Amino acid sequence: MTMSVTETLVVGVDVGGTNTDSVLLDISKSSADAVLASHKAPTTSNVTLSVHASLKALLSKSAAKPTDITALAIGTTHFLNAIIEKDTSRVEKVAVLRLASHSFSRGTPPFADWPAALEKIIHGHSAIIPGGCNIDGTLIGPVDETAVCEQAGIIKSKGIRNVVVVGIGCATDEKYHQEDVVHDWLRAELGDDVNIILSHDIAGPGLLARENASILNASIMNFAQRTIRAFIGAIRRIGLQCPLYLTSNVGHLLPFSEAMRAPIKVFSSGATNSIRGAAFLAKSSISEGGSIVIDIGGTTSDIGFLLRNGYPRLAKTYTDLAGVKVNLEMPSVESIGLGGGSILHVADSGYVAVGPDSVGHDLTTKTLCFGGDVATATDVAVALGTDIGSAKVSLSEETVAKANSRIKKMLEDCIDRVKLSPEPCKVILVGGGSILCPKVLAGVSHVILPEHAGVANAIGAAIAKVFGAAEKIVRGSGIQEGIEEVKARAIQNAVSNGGYADSAVVLHEEVSGVPYTTDQTMIKVEVACVADHERMHAEMSHASIPDELIDQVLYEETKKHDITTANEDETSSSKSELSGYIPAVTAAGEWILSKTDLRFLAVGCYILGCGGGGSPYAPFLHTRQLLLEGDSIRITRIEDLKDDDVMPPVASVGTPAVSIERPGGNGVLYAMQAMEKETGAKFNRLVATEIGGANGVGTLVWASTRFYNMPVVDGDLMGRAYPNFEMVSQYIHASSINELLPVILCSGSGETVTIPAPQPDAATASLQIRDACVGMGSAAGASGPPISGKAMRDIGIPNTFSLAWRLGRAVAVAQQAGNIADVPRALIAAAGGDKSAKVLFQGKIRSVKSTLTTTAHSLGEVTVERLADNEMETEVDKIGEGLVEIVVPFMNENLVVKGKMEDGSEKILATIPDLIFLLDTSTGEAVGVQEYRYGLKVTVMIMAPHPLWASERALEVAGPSAFHLPYEYTTALEYTKPVSVIDEFRPKD
């Protein structure tokens, strides 16, 4: 493939909130030599007219004719802004059909985790109908044409023009193609005028987050199509005869037709374009391990990590868009309220703050350097010697020095969160506000300001390539053949998006084992290709977009739309003072849970997970949904159990990857029913096997009036989370593992396996449980043999739901008061005082080593280093004097805290069974081992376990030696029995 000089002229446009930037690039050249012309102008309320004017101005600055341009690439946040503003003239109603048989995900229906105001605008209709596949591609249930047609009739009667189809396991559904089948049935019923969005075309694994992304996409699809048609109109009027692309969130070209189908893939292209543009302008300066890019604009600064391949590092976790959790591939970017227009605030004490408020568009009229009366960050730069503006800046030397120091610290802190290691890094500056950045920054080896840095975002749009990706699970040893197959599919996908096959470059190749299996491998390949502009222009020329339609929409956006402003997003618990909240406890001693209680319990259970146990988020949504639908959940005291009460210990087991894609289901319910049948018992109470993590909250579901309608005991069998099934208080008192058997596992879709007694040892029983779980799609509900009331009083860990509630309340109260720094003190008080819990250390994560075993255990260690003196902001930051860093090994849960002293010696600060947990200092909430990442500032705390776990027998089962650690358990902590919520709030006679 060869290109002539006239085929190498590309225009890139980036439409920002403040400015619209454009460049004319000769892509046959490199770095600054490639920039033939550039233009920067304020963005108006009409984005299309801004693009039109910018293109005309750009071409007037060069010798190129409109017919010389081979491609136009535009990046914009226009579509995202419509959702953030809740603009009902652009955002439309959506119907959602979820394919999920056997009650999977029924407890977390569509829109379950949406802000109320946005849901009110977008939620038109939703239903859960038969269908779905497991993550290994096996069938959960077939789709039902009759059910689909019935829903189509409802959708048609409501006049909804946008439909989302989301199937459980659709990403690995290579056999049944359920979403596509449903699409065809809907199209036949609804006609061609309705948008039908399939979730597998929008995002990857993670049912709720993929569904959310698909809904947002559908809600602005018609608006995006109008806007893109208007862009095409602008091209025609200027005389360009080239294809139109929009740039994606990850830095690739989307043909106009793909952008019309999936506008959500364009939402966050601005930050990516800046990073890609920086890579192009400073290619020779990028460090081998990557570099930091700082894009300073008029109001905010975006800081991201530039990989050696010229693309941004992507976020590894979910992304929040307008308060909605999505799992789109997005750049990992830290944003702070620092820009050229950021306003200075000088306190009476002399302290100087910078931002986050800004003069924005009015920078050239309101700032001191332009004759205005508002002191801004730009004025600080001018006072320090930058030649900008038309007026003298009158600021005291002290104010300028303090403001510059504050700007420096804001940037340094953000850089530190983005870095991958503590080693000094290179920083590439881009954006119009780059004058704000000091020349010397802590932790930075070089600060590079390339030529044309002010329009790096438009350059990033111009250099984008076409993307293709594919993935597949391979069984057995044919991994190399699988890689070649997946690579070929990725290239074919890129070709279908407009790329040249022979230009394909592999960007990313990932080969990893599938958790909880021994013979399955997930292969994922991503490629980039040079775009075939001629083919794409031909397709655009043949697009059936009448001139009169383009004329109509070109000026449409000049209208001022009414934007819905609602306060529905505030829950009742956030409106009232949480510190004064009183839970509902009956005179008979039953605690009736509210949504506020559930919130406290979810936060507290994650703390008690000690890094493991899985996130309580999905069970929290499920229990909250039960209350919203009129059901109730009760908790009773362990002391009030009668000797002959009968209760099974229950839990969900398996790999977290399954619960993310296939949440809920009735596995635990069916296991309970099977255990009743197996033992002939009739349950009247319910016991959580582990309070820590997801199972603490999840147990509440099955005790609700929707299911068994019986109280949950305020206690469990662990007092925390542990990784192995035998690590329960019941086993500590048992003579053999057989007292924990039988264990019954149910898939929730009809499969039941019983692990009977006798078994020779715990390892054998544990292996059988794992194998059964794998055969059920790597997730199942489990029930152990029922426990009597007398036994539970003797062996149970008491008041653990009360403890979780108190811990969660402590965090929530501090969050509401805006006093996150108080969380450690409040947690210590909730745990019983400074003899029962303590802070060991506060610092930032320097490194994480982690691997996933075939038994789905997360194995590794996290290192937390001490903050520098200038980073310490609270007294808690100073705790751990003499320590340089700590290391916390983990196996699902945190096992040990090893301290490294200033003299190089090592000291063991805590070991399991002490409860060891890390808190995110920005939220006060627990951080799970899967969420550990470099730069995260954390508080490391410990809490005393129930005395049972310090016994000789318990240490053999769940102490350091059980995890092959060469340490003896010692502790200075003293256990304090948690105060029962029921005892405290029960009405007094």
Side-chain angles (χ1 to χ4, degrees):
M1 181 194 68
T2 60
M3 293 183 290
S4 66
V5 174
T6 57
E7 292 178 313
T8 61
L9 300 184
V10 176
V11 170
V13 178
D14 190 272
V15 185
T18 304
N19 293 308
T20 295
D21 299 337
S22 57
V23 296
L24 175 61
L25 213 64
D26 181 350
I27 58 173
S28 67
K29 300 178 181 179
S30 60
S31 300
D33 294 338
V35 181
L36 303 183
S38 65
H39 182 71
K40 182 185 289 286
T43 300
T44 66
S45 59
N46 187 313
V47 170
T48 305
L49 292 181
S50 293
V51 170
H52 183 270
S54 183
L55 291 173
K56 287 187 67 176
L58 178 72
L59 291 173
S60 71
K61 294 181 177 181
S62 75
K65 300 186 295 294
T67 53
D68 293 335
I69 309 304
T70 59
L72 168 64
I74 298 176
T76 179
T77 58
H78 194 41
F79 308 139
L80 175 60
N81 292 342
I83 290 175
I84 292 174
E85 295 166 1
K86 303 182 183 70
D87 186 346
T88 54
S89 69
R90 304 177 184 184
V91 179
E92 299 180 358
K93 294 285 186 184
V94 177
V96 184
L97 298 183
R98 186 190 292 171
L99 313 180
S101 293
H102 301 294
S103 296
F104 287 117
S105 78
R106 192 164 298 277
T108 49
F111 298 95
D113 57 349
W114 279 53
L118 195 59
E119 180 192 357
K120 182 178 179 181
I121 293 170
I122 296 178
H123 191 175
H125 175 72
S126 60
I128 300 176
I129 59 177
C133 293
N134 291 306
I135 63 169
D136 60 1
T138 57
L139 190 68
I140 293 176
V143 288
D144 183 336
E145 184 173 5
T146 300
V148 172
C149 292
E150 179 183 336
Q151 292 299 320
I154 297 172
I155 292 167
K156 186 183 293 185
S157 71
K158 291 184 176 182
I160 299 172
R161 302 170 58 209
N162 308 287
V163 183
V164 166
V165 179
V166 53
I168 290 180
C170 63
T172 52
D173 177 15
E174 298 180 354
K175 181 177 180 180
Y176 304 100
H177 307 288
Q178 290 189 337
E179 287 190 349
D180 297 283
V181 171
V182 171
H183 169 277
D184 293 344
W185 291 339
L186 287 172
R187 182 64 70 205
E189 295 291 322
L190 299 175
D192 295 332
D193 294 334
V194 172
N195 297 315
I196 302 174
I197 295 87
L198 306 184
S199 74
H200 73 262
D201 291 330
I202 302 300
L207 177 71
L208 299 182
R210 181 177 69 254
E211 180 177 79
N212 289 344
S214 302
I215 295 169
L216 289 176
N217 185 81
S219 72
I220 44 90
M221 198 164 173
N222 285 318
F223 166 57
Q225 291 171 357
R226 295 196 303 271
T227 301
I228 293 170
R229 285 197 295 265
F231 287 162
I232 293 173
I235 291 175
R236 291 184 183 178
R237 282 168 177 76
I238 293 171
L240 298 180
Q241 297 177 15
C242 65
L244 168 68
Y245 303 92
L246 276 81
T247 56
S248 77
N249 302 324
V250 290
H252 304 299
L253 292 176
L254 293 178
F256 82 97
S257 55
E258 172 67 11
M260 282 181 163
R261 289 191 296 269
I264 197 170
K265 294 182 179 179
V266 183
F267 273 23
S268 296
S269 60
T272 300
N273 287 340
S274 294
I275 295 172
R276 292 275 291 137
F280 183 81
L281 292 173
K283 185 175 182 180
S284 60
S285 300
I286 303 174
S287 301
E288 187 64 32
S291 299
I292 301 291
V293 175
I294 302 179
D295 181 6
I296 305 178
T299 302
T300 62
S301 294
D302 293 331
I303 303 175
F305 192 86
L306 170 62
L307 300 173
R308 184 64 187 170
N309 65 3
Y311 286 86
R313 184 179 74 213
L314 301 182
K316 292 185 177 181
T317 56
Y318 297 119
T319 302
D320 184 287
L321 291 179
V324 178
K325 184 185 289 189
V326 301
N327 64 342
L328 294 167
E329 288 192 317
M330 306 280 271
S332 178
V333 172
E334 293 280 344
S335 296
I336 53 174
L338 172 65
S342 295
I343 298 172
L344 305 190
H345 300 279
V346 183
D348 293 340
S349 63
Y351 175 79
V352 178
V354 183
D357 49 342
S358 169
V359 297
H361 296 287
D362 299 321
L363 187 144
T364 56
T365 58
K366 290 188 174 181
T367 56
L368 300 180
C369 63
F370 282 98
D373 58 1
V374 181
T376 67
T378 295
D379 296 314
V380 174
V382 170
L384 291 171
T386 299
D387 186 15
I388 289 178
S390 56
K392 183 180 179 181
V393 172
S394 297
L395 288 172
S396 70
E397 290 186 8
E398 181 182 9
T399 297
V400 170
K402 287 183 177 180
N404 191 53
S405 176
R406 180 60 185 164
I407 290 170
K408 182 174 184 287
K409 187 173 190 312
M410 290 170 72
L411 291 172
E412 288 172 345
D413 288 349
C414 205
I415 289 169
D416 206 44
R417 293 196 297 270
V418 172
K419 287 168 64 176
L420 293 177
S421 78
E423 301 302 318
C425 65
K426 287 184 179 179
V427 163
I428 304 171
L429 276 179
V430 297
S434 55
I435 58 169
L436 303 184
C437 185
K439 294 180 180 180
V440 178
L441 294 167
V444 173
S445 58
H446 298 89
V447 177
I448 301 163
L449 179 62
E451 188 179 357
H452 303 297
V455 290
N457 46 9
I459 293 171
I463 64 171
K465 295 183 178 182
V466 174
F467 175 74
E471 60 183 52
K472 181 181 181 180
I473 293 178
V474 175
R475 292 169 176 79
S477 59
I479 296 176
Q480 193 57 47
E481 294 86 349
I483 292 174
E484 293 303 317
E485 177 189 344
V486 174
K487 179 181 176 182
R489 286 171 49 192
I491 293 173
Q492 183 54 46
N493 288 338
V495 170
S496 66
N497 285 332
Y500 282 109
D502 56 1
S503 69
V505 175
V506 175
L507 297 176
H508 179 70
E509 182 180 294
E510 182 177 335
V511 180
S512 58
V514 177
Y516 240 96
T517 70
T518 55
D519 65 343
Q520 296 185 31
T521 304
M522 171 63 79
I523 299 172
K524 183 176 183 179
V525 177
E526 299 176 351
V527 301
C529 299
V530 174
D532 184 348
H533 298 317
E534 185 176 349
R535 174 160 62 95
M536 290 295 97
H537 183 239
E539 290 186 12
M540 192 173 82
S541 299
H542 292 109
S544 55
I545 306 175
D547 289 341
E548 61 271 18
L549 188 56
I550 289 176
D551 291 337
Q552 173 190 338
V553 298
L554 179 58
Y555 298 99
E556 179 185 13
E557 301 309 326
T558 57
K559 295 185 300 184
K560 290 186 177 180
H561 304 301
D562 292 329
I563 298 173
T564 300
T565 55
N567 295 321
E568 293 98 330
D569 291 348
E570 293 188 64
T571 63
S572 58
S573 62
S574 64
K575 291 178 182 177
S576 60
E577 285 294 328
L578 295 177
S579 58
Y581 170 74
I582 298 176
V585 178
T586 69
E590 286 193 332
W591 175 11
I592 312 300
L593 299 185
S594 69
K595 288 183 288 184
T596 299
D597 294 323
L598 293 176
R599 175 185 172 190
F600 292 173
L601 288 169
V603 173
C605 284
Y606 209 17
I607 292 173
L608 294 175
C610 302
S615 169
Y617 182 66
F620 162 70
L621 291 178
H622 193 169
T623 50
R624 188 182 68 173
Q625 189 68 27
L626 287 169
L627 298 194
L628 289 171
E629 294 176 3
D631 289 287
S632 62
I633 303 170
R634 301 170 287 155
I635 292 178
T636 190
R637 297 194 324 153
I638 195 170
E639 294 87 352
D640 291 336
L641 293 175
K642 299 176 182 178
D643 288 357
D644 58 355
D645 281 337
V646 181
M647 61 211 73
V650 299
S652 293
V653 297
T655 173
V658 175
S659 61
I660 292 171
E661 178 60 31
R662 196 190 72 184
N666 291 338
V668 172
L669 175 68
Y670 296 156
M672 292 171 64
Q673 292 170 345
M675 185 59 74
E676 279 188 317
K677 185 176 180 180
E678 173 81 12
T679 61
K682 183 66 176 177
F683 305 147
N684 64 345
R685 299 288 186 274
L686 191 58
V687 174
T689 299
E690 62 179 351
I691 190 68
N695 274 319
V697 181
T699 299
L700 300 171
V701 171
W702 313 112
S704 71
T705 52
R706 177 74 57 89
F707 298 106
Y708 263 79
N709 190 19
M710 60 190 184
V712 174
V713 177
D714 189 3
D716 74 309
L717 302 181
M718 292 184 180
R720 48 170 300 143
Y722 275 121
N724 295 339
F725 104 103
E726 75 276 7
M727 295 177 175
V728 291
S729 57
Q730 188 181 7
Y731 186 47
I732 306 306
H733 292 275
S735 58
S736 80
I737 194 65
N738 293 307
E739 293 187 34
L740 274 63
L741 301 173
V743 169
I744 297 180
L745 289 88
C746 290
S747 66
S749 57
E751 299 172 79
T752 299
V753 173
T754 300
I755 311 302
Q759 299 293 331
D761 49 43
T764 302
S766 187
L767 179 62
Q768 289 192 39
I769 291 172
R770 182 181 72 85
D771 289 346
C773 185
V774 169
M776 294 177 179
S778 298
S783 174
I787 303 171
S788 70
K790 182 180 186 306
M792 185 62 194
R793 293 199 308 270
D794 292 339
I795 67 171
I797 311 297
N799 298 351
T800 49
F801 278 99
S802 289
L803 176 60
W805 184 89
R806 295 181 185 284
L807 297 174
R809 180 180 64 169
V811 174
V813 168
Q815 289 173 335
Q816 187 181 62
N819 189 18
I820 303 299
D822 191 52
V823 167
R825 182 207 61 77
L827 290 178
I828 290 171
D834 54 14
K835 291 185 177 181
S836 298
K838 66 184 295 186
V839 176
L840 291 180
F841 196 71
Q842 187 156 289
K844 60 188 176 186
I845 294 179
R846 192 186 72 194
S847 67
V848 182
K849 300 175 183 177
S850 181
T851 186
L852 199 62
T853 69
T854 57
T855 53
H857 290 127
S858 294
L859 191 66
E861 65 179 30
V862 58
T863 300
V864 183
E865 68 178 5
R866 190 170 189 80
L867 298 174
D869 290 342
N870 65 347
E871 294 177 305
M872 294 187 179
E873 300 175 347
T874 68
E875 289 302 311
V876 179
D877 289 330
K878 301 175 183 178
I879 292 176
E881 188 175 354
L883 290 170
V884 176
E885 66 182 30
I886 63 160
V887 177
V888 181
F890 56 82
M891 178 177 165
N892 277 21
E893 286 75 40
N894 302 314
L895 303 177
V896 181
V897 183
K898 298 187 291 186
K900 183 177 179 181
M901 312 304 290
E902 292 175 348
D903 61 6
S905 62
E906 184 178 282
K907 181 179 180 181
I908 302 303
L909 304 177
T911 71
I912 201 168
D914 281 351
L915 282 70
I916 303 166
F917 50 92
L918 276 60
L919 305 175
D920 182 338
T921 61
S922 67
T923 65
E925 297 188 28
V927 184
V929 297
Q930 71 278 4
E931 298 157 347
Y932 294 166
R933 60 177 175 82
Y934 175 84
L936 184 67
K937 187 177 177 183
V938 295
T939 305
V940 183
M941 295 187 65
I942 57 173
M943 187 185 304
H946 188 277
L948 168 74
W949 294 112
S951 67
E952 182 178 351
R953 165 66 174 159
L955 291 175
E956 292 174 358
V957 173
S961 63
F963 297 92
H964 309 291
L965 297 170
Y967 311 118
E968 293 290 329
Y969 174 67
T970 59
T971 185
L973 297 177
E974 298 177 7
Y975 173 77
T976 299
K977 182 179 178 180
V979 177
S980 163
V981 168
I982 296 172
D983 284 343
E984 180 177 354
F985 295 101
R986 189 174 188 167
K988 304 297 187 289
D989 294 334

